[in-house]
Amino acid sequence: MQVSMTVNGDSHSRDVEPRTLLVHHIREGVGLTGTNIGCDTSSCGACTVHVGGQSVKSCTMLAVQAEGESITTIEGLAETARADGIATGEQNWHPMQEAFQQCHALQCGYCTPGMVMAATSFLKENPTPTEAEIREGLEGNLCRCTGYHNIVKAVQSAAEGAS
Amino acid sequence: MTATIEPTKGGFGTRMLRKEDPKLLTGENKFIDDIKAPGQLWMGMVRSQFAHATINSIDTSGAESMPGVHSVLTGAQLAEMGLWQAPLPCAWPVTEDMVNPPHYPVAISEAKHVGDIVAVVLCSDRYGVADAVEQVVVDYTPLPAVVNLQDAVDGKAMAHSDLETNKAFHWPLDPNPEGTAAAFANAAHVVKARFVQQRLIPMPMEPRGCLAVPSPAGGEIVFYSATQIPHILKIMIAATSGIPENKIRVIAPSVGGGFGGKLNVDADALLAVTLANHIGLPVRWTEQRSEGAGASHQGRGQIQHVEAAADENGKVTAIKVHLDADMGAYMMLITPGVPLLGSFLYTGVYDIPNLSFSCDGHFTNLTPTDAYRGAGRPEASYAIERIMDMMAHKIGIAPEEIRSRNYINGGEHFENFDAASTLTFDSGHYKPAHDRALELADMAGLRSEQARRRDAGETKQLGIGMCTYVEICGLAPSRALGGLNYGAGGWEHATVRLLPTGKVEVVSGSTPHGQGHETAWSQIIAEKMGIDPNDVEVLHSDTALSPLGLDTYGSRSLAVGGVAIAMAADKVVDKAKLIAAHQFEASPEDIEFVNGSFSVAGTPTKSVHIQELGFAAFTAHDLPDGMEPNLQEQVNFDPPNFAFPFGTHVAVVEIDIETGGVELINYIGVDDCGIQVNPLIVEGQVHGGIVQGAAQALFEEAVYDENGNITNPSLMDYLVPSTMEMPNITLDSTVTPSTTNPLGVKGVGEAGTIGSAAAVINAVCDGLSPYGVTDIKMPATPQRIWNAINAGSTGGAA
């Protein structure tokens, strides 16, 4: 069936099998492979994107459920920051991307797109979180490399930079 | 030519931000599942649902009629097709008489573990292949299965029907049995323990996967694989498939973590490459997470019988260890060698004159075991560090006191210490790390808080544990590996080339999967050649770009591969110096090299930067007589010894004595990995390592039911820690240069894991000591802790 959505500002209309997961549609239909898949139980959060500004594990949604939605993936995050006038650093990235590099909050980088998308959405809901709140807010995103120490620091740093 | 010499940016000790990050932070990066080939077929595996069963028949007709299905092939059909010339390889036959039953990618007549492949499906569609796999009907007759290690030791059933024993090998390391016997005979104190190292699943966030792209006309095949070992894989594919080695190109794209889990020559990989080669179409496979839990290898899986003898002062005089190690159903690449890697570390950081070690490897009808972060060394460190605490407890002295009484050279600096294991420790200086960790933890304050809570009878009790670990890094001197009957060397290759425009290319045989090699290797060039690290490009993980290499595992990348790069850089500088001398019409002996610039001694105003000499070497218009054009040098560095990093870790846990709930509330690590190239990267490695070891202590275990089914294969029930389970970590470091290599570096990839499981369990046992608990089984779950408190026992540890 036909499904239409806006991904990182561009509209995409495609024919999909009804059972196609949103994450597979984004990766294989739209062709944006920055969003990763780390599990088959919606546990790891590597596939987190923004749907209508809210963070969503894109393996928990069918592509057809995103009909008419506006989706942002890691590839489009810096652009949204530029549009919002909050882009920062040498690379003109979203402050969360900048904070992740500055704090060494990634190693293999596989969980990173999902982690960054979850963290930006979390800070929108809670712009001045405590460390405990950050940990609670990112509970649904797993990382095997960093032990989370520097991820928590990066989110703190992004929050401080924004306030 | 410039008159001022700028200090070089980015040399050793610089907390340089990683060059890898921009691509990873913007989604530009390519992992294995991001790569596609036109006309590719998806591969799906039909896997055994029985731990041990005869395969009577396989009905593939239903699957074959599914849309998009190209073919469905059983083990018997594949055997007839002659895709393999040899079984899957085990590169480490640890003894001459090691039993190693043939292991083909697809089982032919008998499945040996749940997850063993019994048939393979090729289909044009990702979803279609999963549908088709479900339509393959296999008729099995279940056979008696041995689904835990103790049952295998006891011979309750045979994992392989055609063998009369489950025992695969017996491997002793007993340099001085009389010494050990005398030490135990004369001991004032003896402590015995049985520790279980539960099976762990590596669980890198990126599942395994591969894509094989053949070129039927040319006979070549490009094999993309999420692997830690493209070079070894290339050789092994050639050896098992018969495809000529020089027709195979292996590329590891960005790899999303490994931890040993991608250090293998898997059935899945060999199937993809041989099928693609056979049918002339690209074949791809991406593992499902729950599939991988039973199908890719697991770590640990040991029962350790440990005894320590000490004199009346708590000076430990001998350690005796017998290990029963779970091989799983088959020998994978280094399955039998993993437990032996720990054998040399059972005396830890201590001057213990006698070590008697033996290991029996046993087959079970479970997923094969193999390397997982630390590979044998966390197990050894756990055993010695637990037994030191038990000894301290028995004698009635503090854990830090027994360690101080036993350190090599009293904790003071030493070089080249001959340990009882027969290895020579390169260097160590244990007291500063020990003192600093206790200071950072505020040990006195913690103990007084612990006493207060105990006196007040509070519900939440404190437990404080320490671990003073040493590990073996920089795998490995090739001769040492030869002595252990390992099937390869331990050298590493590097090429450094200064390009005509002054940029640098480093070619490395090390293969990163998150470690930050591109950054660290660029910093080595900055340090050695005085060149901005941003002018350096690192080529790796592609056997066409980097034909020689032995890849990444065993904390070897810097201590072997990095050293090779530094030595190649030195050779480039040496040659460039001759060109500079020629240009200055001076003698090479009079040329100085500072921060990237050559000048004649005494006349620093006249200088040339090394990057400016790339063009002269390229044009070769005016080189010294007899000099070859270009600035490119290579080194194959074979380390003369291992490197032995060390450190002291302190863990603090809070235990709810009413519920058994345990929380890791503070963790301090003071690590010494020798000279640090990039402290930012070092800290990141230690953070992640600590959490993996703490996860073994508290959360993770591959749990099998009585039929050999893994009951927690997904990330929903296999408890990889989240943000909520881990505290912030306080780190510091000391620096004791290695004497093994000219950079003085040691390695840090596994250190955290090697220190943390013991520190956390020591903390749990310390917290539970008022309840008569002396040991607890890993993972120390709330249920086990509650049982231990209420039984006043070991919580089932023995």
Side-chain angles (χ1 to χ4, degrees):
Chain A
M1 56 197 288
Q2 193 75 11
V3 59
S4 303
M5 62 187 78
T6 305
V7 183
N8 300 333
D10 299 328
S11 40
H12 292 269
S13 205
R14 296 270 192 294
D15 218 16
V16 300
E17 259 193 88
R19 62 176 171 170
T20 305
L21 298 176
L22 178 59
V23 66
H24 284 138
H25 180 61
I26 291 170
R27 289 177 50 80
E28 285 161 32
V30 179
L32 293 171
T33 56
T35 304
N36 294 323
I37 303 171
C39 73
D40 45 14
T41 47
S42 298
S43 311
C44 79
C47 65
T48 307
V49 300
H50 295 173
V51 178
Q54 297 273 324
S55 71
V56 166
K57 291 181 177 178
S58 58
C59 72
T60 60
M61 222 173 142
L62 298 169
V64 293
Q65 290 176 293
E67 170 65 32
E69 291 282 3
S70 174
I71 290 170
T72 306
T73 70
I74 190 72
E75 289 96 335
L77 185 66
E79 194 48 50
T80 65
R82 286 168 204 144
D84 293 347
I86 56 166
T88 181
E90 234 173 87
Q91 313 259 12
N92 211 20
W93 279 340
H94 190 284
M96 192 63 72
Q97 290 168 303
E98 174 74 9
F100 264 61
Q101 180 171 29
Q102 292 292 332
C103 297
H104 186 33
L106 64 154
Q107 290 180 31
C108 83
Y110 196 78
C111 76
T112 306
M115 196 69 83
V116 167
M117 298 309 281
T120 53
S121 165
F122 167 71
L123 277 197
K124 267 192 188 164
E125 291 164 21
N126 182 354
T128 54
T130 62
E131 188 205 316
E133 287 168 343
I134 292 171
R135 287 185 176 273
E136 204 171 321
L138 295 181
E139 191 188 8
N141 289 71
L142 297 178
C143 168
R144 193 62 154 164
C145 295
T146 64
Y148 305 105
H149 182 98
N150 285 346
I151 290 176
V152 173
K153 258 177 43 186
V155 179
Q156 276 172 324
S157 153
E160 282 157 17
S163 60
Chain B
M1 298 195 185
T2 50
T4 45
I5 297 173
E6 297 284 332
T8 307
K9 293 183 290 183
F12 286 4
T14 306
R15 300 173 70 85
M16 185 178 157
L17 298 183
R18 294 200 323 168
K19 297 170 74 172
E20 289 85 348
D21 292 353
K23 281 186 183 174
L24 293 166
L25 279 163
T26 55
E28 195 185 305
N29 194 74
K30 295 291 175 215
F31 292 103
I32 187 68
D33 197 55
D34 304 340
I35 301 167
K36 292 176 176 58
Q40 66 185 14
L41 294 171
W42 288 88
M43 183 172 76
M45 265 66 82
V46 182
R47 296 182 183 275
S48 173
Q49 293 159 338
F50 291 91
H52 195 187
T54 303
I55 302 164
N56 300 320
S57 63
I58 300 178
D59 180 357
T60 58
S61 57
E64 280 161 352
S65 64
M66 303 279 290
V69 169
H70 175 279
S71 48
V72 184
L73 297 161
T74 66
Q77 288 170 315
L78 287 160
E80 271 176 36
M81 288 158 66
L83 294 189
W84 307 296
Q85 296 195 340
L88 285 163
C90 172
W92 203 339
V94 294
T95 59
E96 294 296 325
D97 60 352
M98 185 183 86
V99 181
N100 183 17
H103 175 203
Y104 288 95
V106 179
I108 295 167
S109 58
E110 199 174 300
K112 303 287 177 67
H113 68 92
V114 173
D116 211 358
I117 304 171
V118 297
V120 59
V121 179
L122 296 174
C123 179
S124 58
D125 179 68
R126 178 174 210 147
Y127 287 15
V129 77
D131 292 339
V133 162
E134 287 186 4
Q135 296 305 316
V136 176
V137 181
V138 186
D139 182 44
Y140 298 98
T141 301
L143 295 166
V146 54
V147 298
N148 75 63
L149 175 55
Q150 191 61 57
D151 285 355
V153 175
D154 297 341
K156 289 204 174 152
M158 291 303 133
H160 292 268
S161 312
D162 52 347
L163 296 179
E164 286 170 4
T165 171
N166 291 316
K167 195 156 128 183
F169 65 87
H170 172 78
W171 190 91
L173 174 72
D174 201 359
N176 181 12
E178 299 80 14
T180 303
F184 274 92
N186 299 323
H189 305 283
V190 171
V191 176
K192 289 186 190 186
R194 176 186 185 270
F195 302 122
V196 177
Q197 299 285 335
Q198 77 272 32
R199 281 172 163 260
L200 301 175
I201 308 177
M203 293 279 188
M205 291 315 301
E206 179 201 35
R208 292 180 304 146
C210 59
L211 168 64
V213 184
S215 161
E220 303 115 30
I221 192 152
V222 180
F223 188 56
Y224 300 88
S225 172
T227 180
Q228 298 174 224
I229 53 165
H231 297 92
I232 294 172
L233 196 51
K234 180 185 171 202
I235 299 165
M236 291 303 183
I237 288 170
T240 49
S241 70
I243 301 170
E245 189 184 343
N246 55 1
K247 294 288 189 185
I248 303 167
R249 175 181 179 188
V250 179
I251 300 173
S254 275
V255 177
F259 315 112
K262 294 172 182 168
L263 199 187
N264 227 316
V265 181
D266 291 308
D268 328 86
L270 200 65
L271 265 175
V273 74
T274 51
L275 284 170
N277 189 56
H278 184 76
I279 63 180
L281 289 171
V283 173
R284 72 168 307 128
W285 173 65
T286 298
E287 181 174 67
Q288 300 297 304
R289 175 63 65 186
S290 307
E291 174 188 21
S296 65
H297 75 248
Q298 299 177 357
R300 317 290 189 254
Q302 298 178 3
I303 297 170
Q304 302 166 301
H305 302 271
V306 188
E307 292 176 59
D311 69 15
E312 62 282 0
N313 297 317
K315 174 84 182 66
V316 179
T317 51
I319 298 283
K320 202 152 63 176
V321 180
H322 176 72
L323 213 58
D324 286 312
D326 184 353
M327 305 287 99
Y330 303 109
M331 297 299 189
M332 299 293 289
L333 190 65
I334 59 165
T335 301
V338 167
L340 312 188
L341 279 172
S343 65
F344 303 98
L345 285 184
Y346 278 90
T347 55
V349 288
Y350 311 113
D351 186 2
I352 300 173
N354 300 291
L355 170 68
S356 292
F357 173 93
S358 64
C359 175
D360 290 345
H362 306 272
F363 291 113
T364 57
N365 293 111
L366 300 175
T367 305
T369 61
D370 207 301
Y372 174 58
R373 201 169 193 172
R377 292 155 289 161
E379 297 94 308
S381 174
Y382 182 86
I384 180 68
E385 289 302 295
R386 287 287 301 123
I387 210 96
M388 290 304 273
D389 261 35
M390 290 173 159
M391 184 66 84
H393 190 73
K394 181 163 195 221
I395 299 173
I397 59 177
E400 57 269 35
E401 179 58 29
I402 196 165
R403 286 169 170 81
S404 295
R405 290 184 193 178
N406 282 282
Y407 281 137
I408 292 168
N409 199 30
E412 298 304 324
H413 182 261
F414 68 85
E415 288 180 1
N416 303 322
F417 171 79
D418 293 324
S421 64
T422 68
L423 289 190
T424 300
F425 286 19
D426 58 346
S427 63
H429 194 183
Y430 302 143
K431 194 167 181 302
H434 171 119
D435 290 347
R436 181 69 178 138
L438 265 51
E439 180 193 342
L440 284 171
D442 180 21
M443 191 60 98
L446 283 172
R447 288 255 163 76
S448 108
E449 172 62 12
Q450 182 183 51
R452 189 195 65 74
R453 291 191 193 193
R454 282 179 182 172
D455 291 346
E458 289 189 10
T459 308
K460 293 205 169 173
Q461 293 288 320
L462 273 191
I464 308 149
M466 69 186 297
C467 169
T468 49
Y469 74 90
V470 62
E471 71 152 318
I472 307 177
C473 283
L475 270 49
S478 296
R479 282 185 178 181
L481 291 178
L484 291 168
N485 218 22
Y486 180 64
W491 48 264
E492 193 51 270
H493 172 88
T495 296
V496 173
R497 67 176 77 98
L498 182 59
L499 301 175
T501 55
K503 304 291 183 188
V504 174
E505 281 176 353
V506 172
V507 181
S508 172
S510 297
T511 302
H513 33 284
Q515 291 88 347
H517 286 181
E518 291 173 19
T519 307
W521 298 173
S522 299
Q523 290 184 258
I524 292 174
I525 297 301
E527 176 77 15
K528 285 289 177 182
M529 298 178 69
I531 290 175
D532 188 319
N534 293 314
D535 281 346
V536 182
E537 201 63 31
V538 181
L539 307 177
H540 58 81
S541 306
D542 177 342
T543 60
L545 293 176
S546 156
L548 294 171
L550 282 168
D551 307 315
T552 289
Y553 43 84
S555 301
R556 69 188 306 270
S557 292
L558 176 59
V560 190
V563 171
I565 293 164
M567 292 168 80
D570 283 343
K571 284 170 81 172
V572 171
V573 171
D574 288 346
K575 183 170 173 182
K577 181 187 269 190
L578 299 178
I579 302 173
H582 181 71
Q583 289 186 354
F584 292 145
E585 297 178 345
S587 161
E589 293 80 55
D590 294 334
I591 302 294
E592 290 180 338
F593 183 62
V594 180
N595 291 332
S597 288
F598 294 104
S599 59
V600 181
T603 54
T605 50
K606 192 180 171 191
S607 73
V608 60
H609 196 272
I610 188 166
Q611 287 177 280
E612 298 173 64
L613 295 175
F615 197 67
F618 162 72
T619 61
H621 292 168
D622 183 23
L623 294 178
D625 288 345
M627 179 181 276
E628 281 185 22
N630 292 316
L631 282 167
Q632 167 173 301
E633 298 292 338
Q634 64 166 347
V635 165
N636 295 290
F637 175 61
D638 197 347
N641 190 9
F642 301 93
F644 296 80
F646 59 89
T648 298
H649 287 193
V650 177
V652 186
V653 298
E654 207 169 59
I655 300 168
D656 187 321
I657 54 158
E658 288 178 358
T659 66
V662 57
E663 194 182 348
L664 183 59
I665 59 168
N666 200 5
Y667 200 97
I668 293 95
V670 180
D671 295 271
D672 192 321
C673 60
I675 301 292
Q676 297 187 13
V677 173
N678 184 332
L680 196 66
I681 290 177
V682 168
E683 289 162 13
Q685 288 287 320
V686 177
H687 285 148
I690 286 170
V691 169
Q692 271 179 311
Q696 177 178 11
L698 297 179
F699 308 117
E700 293 184 20
E701 178 173 21
V703 180
Y704 285 86
D705 68 14
E706 67 279 11
N707 295 317
N709 298 298
I710 184 163
T711 61
N712 56 344
S714 78
L715 281 171
M716 203 150 49
D717 28 38
Y718 185 86
L719 300 177
V720 168
S722 78
T723 44
M724 295 299 283
E725 283 80 43
M726 287 296 139
N728 273 317
I729 295 166
T730 304
L731 294 183
D732 201 353
S733 59
T734 59
V735 176
T736 307
S738 174
T739 55
T740 300
N741 59 70
L743 297 185
V745 297
K746 293 198 170 190
V748 74
E750 297 156 301
T753 311
I754 290 171
S756 60
V760 172
I761 293 295
N762 280 342
V764 171
C765 292
D766 175 61
L768 297 179
S769 62
Y771 307 93
V773 177
T774 53
D775 194 16
I776 194 147
K777 199 170 173 182
M778 294 190 288
T781 58
Q783 188 178 359
R784 281 186 178 142
I785 290 174
W786 191 91
N787 284 341
I789 290 169
N790 289 283
S793 74
T794 62

